[in-house]
Amino acid sequence: MPSKSFKYVIVGGGVSAGYAAREFAKQGLQPGELAIISKEAVAPYERPALSKAYLFPEGTARLPGFHVCVGSGGERLLPEWYTEKGVELILNTEVVKADLPTKTLTTASGQTFEYETLIVATGSSVIRLTDFGVQGADSKNIFYLREIDDADKLVEAIKAKPNGKAVIVGGGYIGLELSAALKINNLDVTMVYPEPWCMPRLFTSEIAAFYEGFYSNKGIEIIKGTVAVGFTANESGEVKEVKLKDGRTLEADIVVVGVGGRPIISLVKGQVEEEKGGVKTDAYFKTSDPNVYAVGDVATFPMKIYNDIRRVEHVDHARKSAEQAVKAIKASEAGKSIEEYDYLPYFYSRAFDLSWQFYGDNVGETVLFGNNDPASPEHKFGTYWIKDGKIIGAFLESGTADENKALAKVARVQPAADNLDLLKTEGITFAAKI
């Protein structure tokens, strides 16, 4: 098969790839200049839907409903859009080797592609219990959630096990969102995680106490301070029990594991500079190879606002970093310059009728405000993080659109916080005045 060549190649077909393609089209693109090579079978879509509405029994999300860029209020890029724009969308194709000196990519089937500029948008892979040799971790009906195929298999299992028992291993994003989704499907849900509280990388113990209480009130059992060390299966090879390190055994028809991810940088490993587990880039997402850019989960980039370098795994950064890289590529071709990436960390989640947003950095001392009683119908609360006398992070549950905007502004402006008692009393009102 003869090698195909393109001016621009994006490896990876997730959120970043879709937003990069839209930005290329906006900046001006000739037909046949851009190719996206994705191992998935579908055009880029908004991945967060998989842990939320994709799993709902009613009001369910399905493609083509959540192709990019609907997640940020943009147009929906259907497969036809790529054809119309002259973008070659190469699906079901995994790139297994990248030779940067010769600017050549090789796929699993042996086909080669040549590029002038490469964007690495390979995202993360899930950490699997089989990686650690956990006994029985290869049993049927043990699920991970990363791609639409994973979600489809989970949906089938939910339908096949009505009113069954589900065990969720992990207390982070996936753990909290999937526990809610499975409970809505009338499964009997138990969460298991080793940490003293849920979402420990972001939540304080006070924030976590609200969500743990709320989930408990919904009938979800939470087991903390232990891990799954093995699984037993029935004659058909389907999981039936989860063995915990503390000696307990839980019945299970479905197990979902959400214990984190790893950035997929194997393609360029050893060929570009790395840092903090990712590919080191500048403020334009250019790597140490001037013809290679890295965006989304895989990029370790300068976080201007905090004067350090970080790697961020979140859809908001996946979108924005992709757009920044394309703007930088196009500007450099035109001999122009653009502003440095100035990202404000942003995380959010929705589960049940809850919805929280967080902006900034979660270091320093904290001030909790509002009503965080999980039994109260009027629950609405937040937290400020204060470091060196300034507010640098802000969290809010059940905020309005305007309040969430104020939250972002307070984290960006970093106002002085002299009186913590006043901050506690004023709560979100303080942010709204900035």
Side-chain angles (χ1 to χ4, degrees):
M1 207 180 291
S3 185
K4 286 185 132 182
S5 52
F6 296 91
K7 188 171 184 181
Y8 314 107
V9 174
I10 301 169
V11 176
V15 171
S16 283
Y19 280 76
R22 180 179 69 164
E23 190 61 37
F24 269 121
K26 207 186 277 182
Q27 297 276 341
L29 192 65
Q30 295 302 312
E33 281 188 334
L34 171 63
I36 295 172
I37 307 176
S38 171
K39 67 179 182 12
E40 291 195 68
V42 294
Y45 56 88
E46 301 282 5
R47 219 176 278 288
L50 298 183
S51 59
K52 302 178 183 72
Y54 202 83
L55 303 175
F56 292 173
E58 291 162 15
T60 318
R62 285 290 176 269
L63 287 178
F66 61 97
H67 280 298
V68 298
C69 302
V70 294
S72 59
E75 64 177 313
R76 190 168 46 143
L77 311 186
L78 298 170
E80 306 84 83
W81 179 90
Y82 297 88
T83 312
E84 284 162 18
K85 299 292 180 190
V87 176
E88 193 142 343
L89 192 55
I90 302 163
L91 302 174
N92 296 305
T93 303
E94 187 175 5
V95 175
V96 293
K97 186 178 175 227
D99 187 63
L100 304 191
T102 63
K103 300 186 182 177
T104 307
L105 307 171
T106 308
T107 69
S109 66
Q111 183 168 13
T112 56
F113 293 92
E114 291 167 8
Y115 64 84
E116 289 176 37
T117 301
L118 176 67
I119 298 179
V120 180
T122 39
S124 295
S125 60
V126 293
I127 294 171
R128 295 175 182 271
L129 297 183
T130 43
D131 300 345
F132 308 108
V134 175
Q135 185 191 351
D138 54 355
S139 304
K140 290 177 191 162
N141 289 343
I142 297 179
F143 299 97
Y144 299 83
L145 191 62
R146 180 68 201 171
E147 296 175 354
I148 206 157
D149 281 357
D150 303 324
D152 285 338
K153 287 172 191 158
L154 181 54
V155 168
E156 277 173 39
I158 291 168
K159 287 177 180 163
K161 306 283 182 184
N163 306 313
K165 292 184 185 300
V167 175
I168 311 292
V169 178
Y173 258 114
I174 290 290
L176 287 166
E177 292 188 356
L178 269 282
S179 294
L182 294 187
K183 190 70 198 172
I184 292 166
N185 280 282
N186 289 320
L187 275 84
D188 182 351
V189 179
T190 302
M191 288 181 82
V192 179
Y193 45 91
E195 299 89 357
W197 62 79
C198 64
M199 282 283 282
R201 287 199 299 181
L202 176 59
F203 289 179
T204 63
S205 60
E206 295 169 315
I207 293 173
F210 167 81
Y211 295 98
E212 289 173 354
F214 191 95
Y215 276 49
S216 296
N217 292 344
K218 290 280 187 187
I220 293 171
E221 189 184 351
I222 295 176
I223 299 174
K224 299 187 270 189
T226 189
V227 292
V229 291
F231 302 89
T232 55
N234 62 20
E235 315 74 66
S236 325
E238 294 180 343
V239 70
K240 66 170 185 177
E241 285 175 335
V242 183
K243 296 179 197 164
L244 303 183
K245 195 175 186 178
D246 66 8
R248 280 186 271 189
T249 300
L250 307 174
E251 287 179 52
D253 301 301
I254 292 174
V255 174
V256 182
V257 181
V259 291
R262 292 190 187 99
I264 303 169
I265 61 168
S266 50
L267 278 182
V268 293
K269 201 163 181 57
Q271 303 185 79
V272 290
E273 282 179 37
E274 293 166 40
E275 192 138 351
K276 295 189 174 177
V279 175
K280 188 179 179 185
T281 77
D282 63 12
Y284 309 98
F285 297 98
K286 185 156 60 173
T287 70
S288 56
D289 179 322
N291 304 303
V292 180
Y293 290 72
V295 296
D297 289 4
V298 298
T300 302
F301 63 96
M303 184 78 79
K304 190 175 179 179
I305 189 171
Y306 305 125
N307 198 28
D308 61 10
I309 66 165
R310 297 188 188 185
R311 199 174 63 75
V312 174
E313 294 178 10
H314 195 265
V315 66
D316 180 58
H317 165 67
R319 293 168 181 151
K320 290 174 177 167
S321 59
E323 291 170 346
Q324 173 76 352
V326 174
K327 284 174 185 161
I329 289 165
K330 286 299 211 172
S332 108
E333 288 173 359
K336 295 178 181 163
S337 61
I338 61 165
E339 284 186 23
E340 293 180 335
Y341 193 59
D342 188 8
Y343 187 66
L344 177 69
Y346 163 57
F347 299 95
Y348 71 89
S349 183
R350 291 188 299 273
F352 295 117
D353 58 345
L354 303 174
S355 171
W356 59 260
Q357 294 196 8
F358 167 83
Y359 290 91
D361 211 7
N362 61 327
V363 291
E365 62 180 311
T366 57
V367 171
L368 178 77
F369 60 84
N371 173 6
N372 71 327
D373 174 3
S376 164
E378 302 297 313
H379 54 254
K380 180 171 185 168
F381 70 97
T383 295
Y384 291 119
W385 280 260
I386 295 113
K387 187 183 170 197
D388 301 333
K390 293 187 299 192
I391 295 178
I392 58 159
F395 172 97
L396 186 64
E397 165 60 53
S398 301
T400 63
D402 284 345
E403 287 169 339
N404 288 327
K405 273 185 196 153
L407 206 65
K409 191 161 191 187
V410 87
R412 171 67 77 184
V413 174
Q414 300 181 3
D418 309 319
N419 185 337
L420 300 193
D421 290 333
L422 183 66
L423 208 52
K424 187 175 181 62
T425 310
E426 288 198 337
I428 191 63
T429 317
F430 176 87
K433 292 191 298 192
I434 298 298

